[in-house]
Amino acid sequence: MKGRRQLFASPRVAVLQLWFAAIAAIAGLPAFGQLTPDGWKLAEPGYEFSFPRDHGPHPDYRTEWWYLTGNLQTADGREFGYELTFFRYGYRSPAQRTPVKSRFVVDDVKFAHFTVTDMQANRFHVAERTSRGAYGDAGFLSGSRLAWIDDWELDFGQQFAAKAENAGCSINLELDPEKQPVLQGQNGYSRKASSGDHASEYYSITRMRTQGSVVIEDRKYQVSGISWFDREWSTNQLAPNQAGWNWFGIQLEDGSDFMIYQIRLKDGAIDPSSSGKWIDGDGHTVDIGNGEFVLQPTRFWTTADKQATYPIGWHLKIEKLGLDAEISTPVEDQELNVGVRYWEGCVRINGTRNQQPVKGKGYLELTGFAGGMPGVGEVSAK
Amino acid sequence: MNPLRFFYHLVVRDALRHPILTSINILSVALGVAVYLAIQVTNYSANRALAASVDVIAGRANLQAEGEIDDAIFPELQKVPGCVAATPLLEKIVTLPDYQGEYLHLLGVDPFTDREFRTFEVKKLGSQKMDSDRWFSDPSAVAVTKQFAQSHHLDAGSTFRVRLGETVKSLRVAFLLDAPEGDSHLAAMDIGWLQELSGDVGRLTSVLFRVSDPLDPAPVIGRLKQLLPPTVSMQTPQSRSSQVEKMVAGFQLNLSALSMASLMVGVFLIYNTVSASVVRRRPEIGILRSLGVSRTGVRALFLAEAAFYSICGVILGIVLGLVLATRCIGIVSETISNLYVLTSIEQSYVPWNQIVVVSVLGLVTGCVGAWVPAAQAAKLPPLQALNLGLLIERGQQFRPWTLVLFIASIFLVVLSGWFALWWRIRILSFASAALALLAACLLSPSLTQGLGSLIATIFSRQYLIRLSAQNLVRSLYRNSVTSAALGCAVALLVSVSIMIFSFRLTLDRWMGRRLVADIFVTTTENQIAGFDSFISPNLIAFLQSFPEVESMASYRELPVTIKGQEVTLGVTMESPKNSPEFVGGGDAEKERAWHQPNSVIASEPLARRLGLKAGQRILIPTPRGDKEFNVAGIFYDYTSDQGLLMMQRQNFGRFWADRRVQAVSLYLRPGSSVEAVLERARTSYPGAEAYAFQSNRELRGVVERIFDQTFQVTNLLRGIALAVAIIGIVLNLTVIVKEREREIAVLRSLGGSSFQLLFLILLEAFFLTLVAVVLGIIGGCALAIVLTNVINVTFFGWTIPVHFPWTDIAPIGALLIGVGVLAGLFPALVAARPSNLRVLRSMV
């Protein structure tokens, strides 16, 4: 789950930073049938997913994202991690969409984050783009072109394709799903708080065989690996008492994948709606309830400016699946400081499953530890 | 003795003993300092406000493209090599129908691209939640400045109405616009919603750029120009700022020069003051010298005294100057808005370096003025100083070299004026003016001598008159300096009066020729912001349908870039009744040539600014590319000191596919009632509130009001010059009476009555003022000729024939003489006091 990501407003757009305040307001909205008073649709149980339709945008909901993360390597073993995410944040609800003539009046803002982790060089490349898409330079569509901002693009045809470039660092990847989309939560209805109707519609393609190239400092590397694709849309995700979250998306070498998220409350407790999903090699899924996993931070990393301390090492236990593992990262500094700060980076997992050694790779996301997010430092204080 | 104690006893105590004299002394420095500082503060504040008005929009840009830009080409502009960032901008001036005469400068900005350009912040207002959703989703959400919100009693969420053309729309105060130094009339909203609001869909008024090499933007400019329409101008904000500054520089420099003149008058006044002190304190000087104080010591004493007065004067002057500045700023702000650019100077900034400058100037003024009398005091032999019985003042011989110098300076006035015009060196035109004043001063001894001798000869039998005339000549140089001081003040007064009168006559003449239509119509927005918005074609059709309307003329303006300079192009379709008057005559022929294809005419200031001559060909950027136009003639025009290029409407139509007009004027059939037509237009046209319908008389009233407003600061300075003149008279006569104590005592002992003594002193006051006034009028006329024919031409390029308002000057002269005599009354009464035995006894 990538709940609350609509907070990641672009730093390039000072006005957008006002979302912090807006989010609190959104979070506090009462449910009003299926629509908010502004006219936005709320995530509700029973949504009928259909593919490829749901790869495309859902403009009746306020927030939405297309989220790709992955671990890649060259033939000779040089390893990279990447993230390419497109966000849509709605300004004008369907009810507010009066006909306009100005190209600058748009229904939503488009923004994207792009990172590449170069493990050998221990470097993390970050870029962000924001646009209102007044000139068709950014947008979301059903069909072959799912999301784009300038030359950053996510396409869908026979398979998925992703490309992005910034300051001599780029990716150009083809992604082929090895598993069917997994509906997260209850048939895709993912609750984000124990009370109220804070929820999203959420599905993932947890394992995509990935091939293509990574360019770093104008040097091109042919790479292959595995990516994770998250799709989520919502209007009213978060509760006011929530502080941030820890999200894990892991692909194990035995072919199984799992996703776990913990929502941290401002009082330091963990929200009971925290949960996860296990997907085995055949695509069968097992729900992981809040009480069914134990996460213990084992290592912390503090940013150079001392503004945030992130728990970047974890011990994970899921008893019902017989998993006992350490999660660690090869590169400490994978913080995105793009106005809103969060840590999102590639991780490695090592441990046992049913007493058999198991290892894998994945991505970890940590939010609410610095800059603008409520609840800074709860975990680090533990 | 400790020098400080010495100073205290001889200067401070003395000053305290003569409070009135001391006050006058201090005031004479203070006024000059105050006027100078007030003008400096005003100019500085105006420049800061003007710079801020450019900065707040384009402050962080390296380049600005201005003009009608289709927003579809913006992405191409963004991608131009060498351009690292670009942001689109739409600017609108809107009037507020609920607040008479008020306006907002609305900026339509794009927060997605303007991060690197933004000079203001959008913040939350009051307790309202700050959310960007509203910025992008609410068509009426606007950010206004705190001052604007407060002065219009608007809170978060309040709505107010704005007028856009004939429609009135509501805006909601959603955010606070925080622009340091920015104008309170600034407001911002999303560019998309402003396009929707104002109907300017697809249109930008400018694009701002940051380039990779700001030191050499030329290659980027070249590339951008290929994409932009030819009518769009490209310039750096610095050049725009400096253009705005240059525009008002002439106006400001004139104010500075006038304020400098008031300091110059201060030199003369200090001369008088210290002279008075030297005369009054001769016995003290004698005692000091006898006690062994050296000549240098005495000189230092008097210089210290002058410095003491100067310091007090400077302090008082700074305080007065800052107070005066607040008044001047309002006036100058309005003048700049009327004549140059819409701006409001809301804050006064003190240029601290000017405080230093004015302090030094004040001190130097004091010391320069005191130098000669201090030297005289130092030269005084102790015995002579102690013995009042000795002749206090030797008769001064007229020295012809002053006359030679006078003639030489007249020659220099002409020479520098001629060079100023020939080489267009502005500073030389001021030199010419300063020399004209100097010449008037140098004429003073000759005039005093001449007048004194003449009166003494004519009235040789009227001994009182003869005596006073002889007294005038006897203290020739002191009286000359007094007359010169007063003369300078009077000359300023007179020259400014002549200049304003000449301007006024020229303006009247021009209005008589050019403002001939019966009714003028423009938008209310244009009235505030200058020609910016357009008249609806519906209104034009409506007005044309009036049976009373015989013909209609139209006008619009647009900026064009010619020879790299921004020039206003006026497009006109005129009635034959209204034809321009051309420099060098041949009106009919030039008018015909102007109607030929590809012809324009240039106003006199523009011709001077760009170096244009009749018959010359110039390139004008048009939507169809740069086209060559023939300058059919140079015409007299007084509407803009930046100048105007005028084009006939049919010529304009050949290149611009734009038929909109910004003002129309109506010529009614003979016998029609202007009032009835006005009334009908105002009441029966829907949306008439968006327009100003003015009769000929009303418009002339407006022009005259602007004219008067423009000269308000000048008038203020004129008033201060008058005050300085009066102070000078009082001061001088006080000195005279003190000097003549002995003589007056003798006269009394010989049987002179109080009345006779009173009459004698009043006569002297009369003669002194008379010389000053005659000198002032002569100097004033000379200065006026330099002001109108040299300074005015080099700064503004206007031909203003000099006219002498004798009916105005004569009363001023009479008034001053009256004031002079009145000012003499106090010292005269002192002289007439029968208590001069002590003085007489000291002679024995």
Side-chain angles (χ1 to χ4, degrees):
Chain A
M1 101 98 208
K2 309 271 171 162
R4 212 161 183 171
R5 252 188 192 132
Q6 71 267 45
L7 285 181
F8 298 163
S10 162
R12 298 184 194 289
V13 187
V15 180
L16 301 187
Q17 291 175 357
L18 317 175
W19 291 357
F20 296 127
I23 278 301
I26 294 165
L29 286 175
F32 184 73
Q34 284 193 312
L35 298 176
T36 66
D38 288 349
W40 293 104
K41 210 166 180 177
L42 286 165
E44 287 186 317
Y47 179 82
E48 290 284 332
F49 283 84
S50 158
F51 302 101
R53 184 197 71 196
D54 281 320
H55 294 326
H58 302 81
D60 291 353
Y61 297 82
R62 180 154 223 163
T63 319
E64 176 160 27
W65 49 80
W66 291 252
Y67 222 111
L68 267 181
T69 51
N71 283 279
L72 308 168
Q73 61 181 36
T74 59
D76 59 1
R78 181 163 177 162
E79 290 184 302
F80 299 101
Y82 81 93
E83 174 200 342
L84 178 62
T85 316
F86 292 90
F87 300 91
R88 182 183 66 75
Y89 178 78
Y91 285 134
R92 300 209 300 158
S93 72
Q96 292 170 320
R97 286 173 202 155
T98 50
V100 288
K101 290 184 191 151
S102 169
R103 65 170 79 239
F104 292 105
V105 177
V106 290
D107 295 336
D108 45 38
V109 60
K110 297 90 183 164
F111 60 106
H113 293 167
F114 166 48
T115 74
V116 172
T117 309
D118 178 356
M119 277 160 239
Q120 188 173 312
N122 195 35
R123 284 199 59 189
F124 185 61
H125 302 267
V126 189
E128 184 191 43
R129 288 211 178 148
T130 313
S131 174
R132 69 169 98 204
Y135 293 93
D137 54 312
F140 307 99
L141 283 175
S142 300
S144 66
R145 209 177 179 202
L146 292 178
W148 71 97
I149 294 186
D150 301 329
D151 53 352
W152 297 10
E153 197 162 325
L154 175 64
D155 296 331
F156 176 68
Q158 291 297 336
Q159 53 189 8
F160 289 88
K163 59 175 185 176
E165 189 279 330
N166 183 67
C169 173
S170 69
I171 55 166
N172 194 343
L173 305 171
E174 295 199 332
L175 308 109
D176 192 9
E178 289 186 354
K179 294 181 184 174
Q180 289 302 308
V182 173
L183 304 184
Q184 302 283 14
Q186 297 165 306
N187 293 322
Y189 175 71
S190 173
R191 287 189 70 87
K192 302 300 195 236
S194 46
S195 60
D197 53 4
H198 304 285
S200 66
E201 309 291 357
Y202 182 11
Y203 74 85
S204 313
I205 302 176
T206 58
R207 188 169 284 253
M208 297 169 102
R209 195 171 51 248
T210 308
Q211 285 213 311
S213 59
V214 170
V215 176
I216 288 186
E217 278 154 10
D218 299 320
R219 225 183 124 190
K220 192 170 180 179
Y221 302 90
Q222 289 301 324
V223 292
S224 60
I226 296 174
S227 300
W228 182 298
F229 184 45
D230 256 14
R231 283 283 285 117
E232 199 164 359
W233 56 95
S234 64
T235 291
N236 182 22
Q237 275 212 13
L238 291 162
N241 63 337
Q242 296 173 336
W245 63 88
N246 316 321
W247 176 93
F248 301 78
I250 307 285
Q251 296 121 336
L252 298 173
E253 284 184 355
D254 67 4
S256 42
D257 315 312
F258 69 87
M259 183 279 292
I260 280 177
Y261 68 84
Q262 261 189 329
I263 292 186
R264 305 189 312 276
L265 299 179
K266 285 179 181 164
D267 62 7
I270 297 296
D271 194 294
S273 66
S274 303
S275 64
K277 192 155 276 194
W278 181 276
I279 305 105
D280 70 16
D282 300 329
H284 296 114
T285 60
V286 179
D287 287 339
I288 308 166
N290 183 35
E292 295 173 328
F293 66 94
V294 177
L295 269 170
Q296 283 276 314
T298 55
R299 196 165 147 226
F300 294 92
W301 172 74
T302 303
T303 56
D305 62 4
K306 312 272 185 238
Q307 292 298 305
T309 296
Y310 294 102
I312 55 165
W314 293 85
H315 182 95
L316 171 67
K317 247 178 136 169
I318 310 174
E319 231 165 77
K320 81 176 194 186
L321 292 164
L323 185 75
D324 189 333
E326 293 295 331
I327 295 168
S328 62
T329 177
V331 176
E332 290 181 328
D333 182 2
Q334 297 188 75
E335 187 197 39
L336 287 90
N337 188 355
V338 283
V340 175
R341 300 174 73 165
Y342 68 108
W343 193 98
E344 171 119 22
C346 51
V347 290
R348 300 288 177 259
I349 185 166
N350 265 297
T352 56
R353 185 172 176 214
N354 301 328
Q355 278 76 51
Q356 297 297 311
V358 69
K359 59 178 182 172
K361 297 175 182 176
Y363 255 76
L364 165 63
E365 183 183 80
L366 304 162
T367 71
F369 290 95
M373 286 275 187
V376 174
E378 266 117 2
V379 170
S380 60
K382 277 180 189 170
Chain B
M1 194 192 234
N2 181 330
L4 268 180
R5 284 190 63 186
F6 186 60
F7 176 78
Y8 173 77
H9 281 289
L10 287 164
V11 177
V12 181
R13 268 207 343 211
D14 185 69
L16 294 175
R17 228 177 303 159
H18 302 93
I20 294 175
L21 208 59
T22 305
S23 314
I24 291 175
N25 287 337
I26 292 171
L27 211 58
S28 62
V29 175
L31 277 178
V33 167
V35 171
Y36 178 82
L37 186 65
I39 295 299
Q40 293 307 317
V41 171
T42 307
N43 285 349
Y44 184 66
S45 304
N47 284 347
R48 286 275 294 254
L50 289 171
S53 69
V54 174
D55 277 357
V56 80
I57 290 155
R60 294 193 184 163
N62 305 129
L63 278 179
Q64 183 175 19
E66 260 191 302
E68 290 262 343
I69 302 170
D70 182 350
D71 69 8
I73 67 166
F74 177 69
E76 288 175 64
L77 299 176
Q78 269 181 308
K79 286 177 201 139
V80 161
C83 158
V84 290
T87 192
L89 199 66
L90 177 64
E91 288 180 69
K92 286 259 117 182
I93 303 285
V94 294
T95 53
L96 310 178
D98 300 327
Y99 305 94
Q100 182 72 36
E102 280 279 351
Y103 70 96
L104 266 187
H105 182 171
L106 266 180
L107 300 178
V109 295
D110 176 26
F112 289 91
T113 52
D114 83 338
R115 191 173 120 96
E116 294 189 49
F117 300 92
R118 203 176 308 144
T119 51
F120 54 82
E121 278 185 73
V122 173
K123 293 178 171 171
K124 71 170 198 155
L125 179 59
S127 57
Q128 181 172 312
K129 280 225 169 70
M130 181 74 204
D131 69 274
S132 63
D133 295 13
R134 165 165 264 186
W135 173 275
F136 291 108
S137 65
D138 182 351
S140 63
V142 66
V144 298
T145 60
K146 198 174 181 180
Q147 300 97 296
F148 179 82
Q150 281 172 350
S151 59
H152 295 81
H153 308 291
L154 297 169
D155 292 323
S158 341
T159 57
F160 60 95
R161 299 192 308 153
V162 295
R163 180 179 292 290
L164 288 141
E166 289 182 8
T167 55
V168 172
K169 305 230 167 125
S170 270
L171 289 181
R172 183 176 295 114
V173 177
F175 309 97
L176 202 63
L177 184 102
D178 185 14
E181 290 193 24
D183 197 316
S184 70
H185 297 91
L186 271 183
M189 63 191 295
D190 192 64
I191 187 166
W193 289 126
L194 184 57
Q195 281 191 337
E196 289 285 326
L197 185 84
S198 64
D200 290 291
V201 172
R203 187 173 158 254
L204 306 174
T205 52
S206 68
V207 176
L208 306 178
F209 299 94
R210 284 185 72 86
V211 297
S212 51
D213 185 2
L215 295 178
D216 182 22
V220 184
I221 293 179
R223 278 173 228 139
L224 289 169
K225 274 196 166 162
Q226 290 180 345
L227 297 169
L228 288 161
T231 48
V232 170
S233 73
M234 291 285 306
Q235 56 187 338
T236 62
Q238 292 75 21
S239 78
R240 185 169 160 68
S241 269
S242 71
Q243 244 179 36
V244 175
E245 256 172 50
K246 254 187 227 156
M247 209 152 70
V248 297
F251 171 68
Q252 294 185 330
L253 201 57
N254 274 326
L255 291 183
S256 285
L258 277 175
S259 70
M260 287 287 270
S262 65
L263 269 177
M264 187 166 145
V265 173
V267 175
F268 292 115
L269 291 180
I270 285 285
Y271 173 90
N272 273 328
T273 314
V274 180
S275 297
S277 178
V278 171
V279 169
R280 207 179 58 235
R281 293 157 69 180
R282 254 165 227 236
E284 279 173 53
I285 297 170
I287 294 165
L288 287 172
R289 296 281 282 122
S290 320
L291 289 173
V293 175
S294 66
R295 284 175 193 275
T296 322
V298 171
R299 178 192 298 220
L301 176 71
F302 283 97
L303 284 179
E305 184 178 39
F308 171 71
Y309 288 140
S310 302
I311 289 168
C312 296
V314 164
I315 293 167
L316 181 66
I318 288 172
V319 175
L320 284 178
L322 295 178
V323 174
L324 190 63
T326 54
R327 166 117 184 83
C328 288
I329 282 172
I331 301 174
V332 167
S333 172
E334 207 180 323
T335 301
I336 289 177
S337 280
N338 280 338
L339 302 185
Y340 303 100
V341 280
L342 184 63
T343 187
S344 62
I345 313 169
E346 288 157 339
Q347 278 164 292
S348 80
Y349 296 98
V350 179
W352 296 107
N353 59 337
Q354 285 298 334
I355 297 272
V356 178
V357 169
V358 83
S359 307
V360 172
L361 275 179
L363 218 64
V364 168
T365 307
C367 293
V368 166
W371 192 261
V372 174
Q376 277 174 353
K379 269 193 245 158
L380 213 59
L383 210 61
Q384 206 184 76
L386 274 170
N387 193 345
L388 269 178
L390 285 175
L391 202 61
I392 289 174
E393 190 159 21
R394 275 175 294 155
Q396 286 167 319
Q397 288 286 307
F398 172 66
R399 291 166 207 157
W401 56 262
T402 55
L403 201 60
V404 175
L405 276 181
F406 164 72
I407 293 163
S409 46
I410 288 288
F411 176 70
L412 284 175
V413 169
V414 176
L415 201 68
S416 55
W418 188 77
F419 277 122
L421 289 175
W422 188 253
W423 289 330
R424 303 216 176 112
I425 304 173
R426 291 174 162 197
I427 195 79
L428 270 184
S429 61
F430 278 116
S432 183
L435 283 166
L437 264 187
L438 186 71
C441 297
L442 287 168
L443 183 63
S444 181
S446 315
L447 196 68
T448 314
Q449 166 86 24
L451 198 73
S453 311
L454 188 71
I455 294 166
T457 317
I458 295 172
F459 298 96
S460 56
R461 280 158 195 269
Q462 279 82 9
Y463 69 94
L464 267 179
I465 298 178
R466 198 184 68 209
L467 195 61
S468 61
Q470 280 168 346
N471 282 342
L472 193 69
V473 177
R474 205 178 51 184
S475 314
L476 183 61
Y477 287 96
R478 171 115 21 77
N479 283 333
S480 303
V481 171
T482 306
S483 311
L486 299 185
C488 276
V490 176
L492 276 181
L493 212 68
V494 168
S495 64
V496 169
S497 304
I498 294 173
M499 189 177 72
I500 295 179
F501 181 73
S502 305
F503 266 52
R504 189 56 181 257
L505 275 191
T506 311
L507 185 79
D508 284 347
R509 189 180 134 80
W510 175 86
M511 283 201 292
R513 195 171 164 124
R514 302 304 303 277
L515 292 191
V516 286
D518 297 305
I519 290 171
F520 298 86
V521 184
T522 190
T523 64
T524 49
E525 187 190 317
N526 286 347
Q527 273 195 314
I528 292 174
F531 288 113
D532 185 61
S533 67
F534 298 92
I535 291 181
S536 156
N538 297 340
L539 175 65
I540 295 173
F542 175 79
L543 293 171
Q544 268 167 339
S545 71
F546 282 32
E548 293 96 330
V549 174
E550 188 178 64
S551 65
M552 185 186 267
S554 72
Y555 183 72
R556 72 163 292 182
E557 281 183 0
L558 67 159
V560 290
T561 308
I562 293 169
K563 293 186 173 183
Q565 297 206 44
E566 194 169 294
V567 170
T568 302
L569 175 65
V571 180
T572 174
M573 191 184 67
E574 260 309 342
S575 147
K577 288 178 189 168
N578 176 351
S579 57
E581 185 179 1
F582 288 93
V583 175
D587 288 4
E589 193 186 318
K590 285 173 180 165
E591 170 101 27
R592 260 198 309 281
W594 180 31
H595 283 78
Q596 297 305 309
N598 293 24
S599 289
V600 289
I601 54 173
S603 78
E604 205 189 2
L606 182 72
R608 202 168 290 271
R609 183 153 76 97
L610 299 183
L612 299 179
K613 289 192 173 64
Q616 202 175 327
R617 304 190 77 80
I618 52 168
L619 279 182
I620 300 178
T622 77
R624 301 194 179 173
D626 287 1
K627 297 288 169 191
E628 204 174 67
F629 283 79
N630 172 43
V631 180
I634 311 298
F635 68 105
Y636 292 108
D637 181 76
Y638 302 96
T639 53
S640 155
D641 66 6
Q642 298 302 298
L644 262 179
L645 201 62
M646 295 279 269
M647 192 185 280
Q648 286 290 334
R649 187 153 192 88
Q650 67 267 28
N651 261 329
F652 182 74
R654 274 185 246 276
F655 303 101
W656 279 265
D658 186 348
R659 300 194 54 77
R660 298 173 299 173
V661 299
Q662 292 169 324
V664 291
S665 47
L666 308 177
Y667 295 84
L668 304 187
R669 288 181 207 290
S672 322
S673 158
V674 171
E675 294 310 318
V677 173
L678 277 176
E679 178 64 20
R680 193 134 44 90
R682 282 174 185 152
T683 52
S684 53
Y685 180 73
E689 309 80 45
Y691 299 98
F693 299 90
Q694 288 172 313
S695 68
N696 189 301
R697 192 171 44 81
E698 284 167 336
L699 186 65
R700 283 185 191 218
V702 169
V703 173
E704 280 166 10
R705 194 189 63 79
I706 290 175
F707 180 88
D708 292 340
Q709 204 284 329
T710 306
F711 285 103
Q712 265 196 42
V713 171
T714 322
N715 277 331
L716 198 69
L717 295 184
R718 194 160 58 162
I720 289 167
L722 189 67
V724 169
I726 292 167
I727 291 173
I729 295 172
V730 176
L731 206 59
N732 201 66
L733 288 166
T734 314
V735 178
I736 286 174
V737 170
K738 189 74 197 167
E739 278 186 345
R740 305 236 184 289
E741 265 184 342
R742 180 189 57 90
E743 196 181 307
I744 289 163
V746 172
L747 286 175
R748 282 202 71 83
S749 63
L750 292 176
S753 69
S754 291
F755 174 76
Q756 280 171 323
L757 286 172
L758 192 78
F759 187 60
L760 179 74
I761 300 297
L762 287 182
L763 260 182
E764 283 191 32
F766 170 76
F767 288 138
L768 198 67
T769 327
L770 183 69
V771 173
V773 168
V774 170
L775 203 62
I777 290 173
I778 295 171
C781 290
L783 196 57
I785 291 168
V786 175
L787 277 175
T788 44
N789 288 345
V790 182
I791 293 189
N792 196 30
V793 174
T794 47
F795 277 93
F796 306 114
W798 283 328
T799 299
I800 311 274
V802 182
H803 295 278
F804 296 98
W806 296 119
T807 46
D808 285 351
I809 296 174
I812 292 178
L815 172 79
L816 277 173
I817 292 173
V819 169
V821 174
L822 212 63
L825 200 60
F826 175 69
L829 285 171
V830 173
R833 265 198 321 235
S835 61
N836 286 321
L837 272 178
R838 180 187 58 83
V839 180
L840 201 58
R841 202 176 298 127
S842 71
M843 293 171 62
V844 182

